[in-house]
Structure formats: structure tokens, C-alpha cells
Amino acid sequence: MYIAMKSIFRDTAHGFIAWALATVLGATALAIPATSLIGGSAVGASQAAANAAQTNGPMDGYVDTLLRSDPAAAGPTGTASGGTTNATDSHGEMVRLFTRSFRNGGDLKGPDREYAAKVVASRTGMSQADADKRVNDVVTQVKADADAARKATASLAFWLTAAMLLGAFCASLAATEGGGLRDGTWNSRRR
């Protein structure tokens, strides 16, 4: 009985170690191309930054929504107020403000929210109340999207963990069955 238990333990451990090695090799095989892609995109990003004044980040879409003006209300110079505001400067400033405020699940604080509403009002020609409403709507959308991303990430992590545990179990069970076949005890256990 001791020898049979020793054999089962040895085979199960062998299957588990084979699974662990395959997992590490698979992760390495996936990480090497990803690393080269990231390195290549970093070089491309630095060249693009040198060539273009504007970069695209996760907050750009929200800031674009925030600063979108009504084309029918645009003055002769292309801005809603008819002035000569520097659109690139205020867009970049708003992106930095939103990125800093929402990093690590934060929120747009009172003074920042008021400033954002003033920038929206001046850039779009909206009334201050409408600008406040637009800022609140965009902040709510940012929070909802961040929450959805957190939930999706947690779900992905759970299912990846479950798949890894199932893979470890299957590898250990298959190695135990293979050990029984090797020892000639596979059919005797089935009876």
C-alpha cells in the first residue's frame, strides 16, 4: 500500500511540475513578443511625439466630449465665443487635469470641477449651468467606464485563476493515470 501511495504522489507531483513548467514557458513565449512590441511602440511613440504636438491617451475621448462645441454657434474664427483661444493648450491642460484627478479611482474635486466648467463654457459658448451639467455628465461617464473596467478585470482574473487550477488538476490526474498505465495497475483500479 505504501508503494502504491508513493507512486500516486510521485506521478501527481510529476504532472503538477510539468503543468507549472508549461505555464512558465507559455507565459515567457507570450511575454517576449509583447516586450518587443512595447519596445517598438515606445520608439514609435517618441518619434510621433516629436512629430505631433498631440498624443492620444485614455482621457482624450472624454475631454473631446467635454470641449465639443456646437458648430452652428461657432463664430467667424472657428471658436464658439468668436475669440482666439488656444484649443491645443486648453485640451492638453484638461487631459492632464482629468488624468491626475481620476488616477487610482479619484474624483474631480470642487475647484477643479469649477475650473473645468469655466473652460467648457469659454470654449463652447455654453452657459455656465450647461457647462456644469456637461462636466457632471462626463465625470459620471468616466466613473462608470472605470468601474466597468475594474469589474471586467476582476472577472478576467477570476476566470484565468479557475482555468489555471483546472489545468493543474487535469495535468496531475493525467500523470497519475499515466503512472498507473506504466506500472500496469491502470486496469486493476478501474474494476
Side-chain angles (χ1 to χ4, degrees), residues 151-169:
K151 288 179 183 177
T153 303
S155 177
L156 177 66
F158 172 77
W159 287 111
L160 283 175
T161 302
M164 297 283 286
L165 290 174
L166 182 65
F169 174 77

Side-chain angles (χ1 to χ4, degrees), residues 5-115:
M5 291 302 288
K6 184 177 175 185
S7 176
I8 289 173
F9 177 77
R10 178 190 66 211
D11 295 335
T12 304
H14 179 264
F16 182 79
I17 291 171
W19 165 82
L21 180 65
T23 301
V24 169
L25 289 176
T28 303
L30 290 175
I32 290 171
T35 304
S36 67
L37 285 175
I38 290 171
S41 65
V43 170
S46 64
Q47 290 173 351
N51 294 336
Q54 195 173 10
T55 61
N56 290 326
M59 287 295 173
D60 280 328
Y62 298 113
V63 172
D64 288 342
T65 301
L66 196 64
L67 299 177
R68 185 176 301 136
S69 61
D70 182 14
T77 60
T79 61
S81 60
T84 58
T85 60
N86 192 342
T88 305
D89 289 344
S90 61
H91 185 274
E93 181 182 17
M94 294 297 287
V95 168
R96 288 187 300 276
L97 177 71
F98 267 61
T99 302
R100 186 190 75 235
S101 296
F102 288 104
R103 184 173 290 138
N104 300 325
D107 192 5
L108 197 61
K109 304 291 187 249
D112 290 337
R113 190 180 291 251
E114 291 172 15
Y115 177 74

